[in-house]
Amino acid sequence: HAKRIGRNNYQFYNQHIGGLTKNTLEMASLLHRALQYEEFSLHYQPQYRADTEQLAGFEALLRWHSPQLGQVSPADFIPLAEENGLIVPIGEWVLRKACETNKKWQLEHGVFVPVSVNLSLRQFYQQDLVQRVADILFETDLEPQYLILEITESIAMQEDAAARILHDLRKLGVCIAMDDFGTGYSSFKQLRYFPIHQLKIDQAFIQDLDSDNGEAIVGAIIALGHNLGTEIVAEGVETEAQAVALKRLGCDLLQGYFYARPQPEEAITDLLKIRT
Ligand code: C2E
Ligand code: MG
Ligand code: MG
Ligand code: MG
């Protein structure tokens, strides 16, 4: 606790000097009210099958529009929400909203693809995560195979606990994706013990595809994942050349600006209308 107080003092001291630390404090206090004031929304980014280019799923991505700060990037506010625990109620809102929307697309457009939701570390280790997920699926009437939970390699800090939670989620029938694969640590050990359905190759590797050894590394990740029975998703696909290379390497799903940007629910609904 002393550490926290120390840190706050440091920030207080600094607010007279630079904008950055002051902004962090201000952002933290605004974040506390953001749920209540309905400042959050979800964008959805389509994923496509590499072989047929058919729609294969959506990733739900959180957006925060603060009247005071404007649009704030999740890269800035998620770490803050993680630190002060707000990520738990926020994450629950994301889960419910994503499941609700996916159910709506099923009912109104006959589109049956999974929605992927990012789980933060703290959310993953919250007391009753499995029960909460079960409750949300029940309330929104979404079948579990239409929900994919994205975790990162960081959950393996407590390997046994993580394996237990993942197996319980699996029993529930939801799918698990390992996000940002290749950037964390001890990846191989986890792959042996964790029930993982999808590996998402981090976009850094996709950007490096055209560099020396770039294809060799992505090809090795794809082969590894396939040997372990997982599906491979490439994220951050920005160019046609990347898409072509990924198809040739046998990647299963493609996600990135080259195909579609993350978009508000209404824009996706329009896209589904055109499609059907
Ligand atoms: P992520 O889960 O790895 O999500 C992919 C990020 O890459 C998203 O950034 C997406 O907009 C971006 N992206 C997609 N295609 C491309 C592309 O072709 N090029 C480039 N340069 N970027 C692309 P975003 O939406 O800013 O989210 C950043 C991170 O914030 C996410 O990374 C995820 O870790 C976290 N995040 C977002 N929403 C949530 C949430 O609801 N809960 C939690 N816990 N974390 C979230
Ligand atoms: Mg993700
Ligand atoms: Mg990622
Ligand atoms: Mg990322």
Side-chain angles (χ1 to χ4, degrees), residues 179-180 202-203 235:
D179 200 1
D180 304 340
D202 192 77
Q203 52 192 65
E235 68 178 356

Side-chain angles (χ1 to χ4, degrees), residues 129-149:
L129 172 75
V130 181
Q131 187 56 50
R132 275 167 191 264
V133 172
D135 288 349
I136 288 170
L137 289 170
F138 180 78
E139 285 164 28
T140 58
D141 197 26
L142 186 73
E143 289 131 304
Q145 70 265 33
Y146 295 110
L147 176 63
I148 298 178
L149 299 175

Side-chain angles (χ1 to χ4, degrees), residues 201-219:
I201 308 175
D202 192 77
Q203 52 192 65
F205 296 105
I206 309 306
Q207 263 135 45
D208 285 348
L209 258 176
D210 60 358
S211 74
D212 282 351
N213 301 325
E215 280 208 14
I217 290 172
V218 170

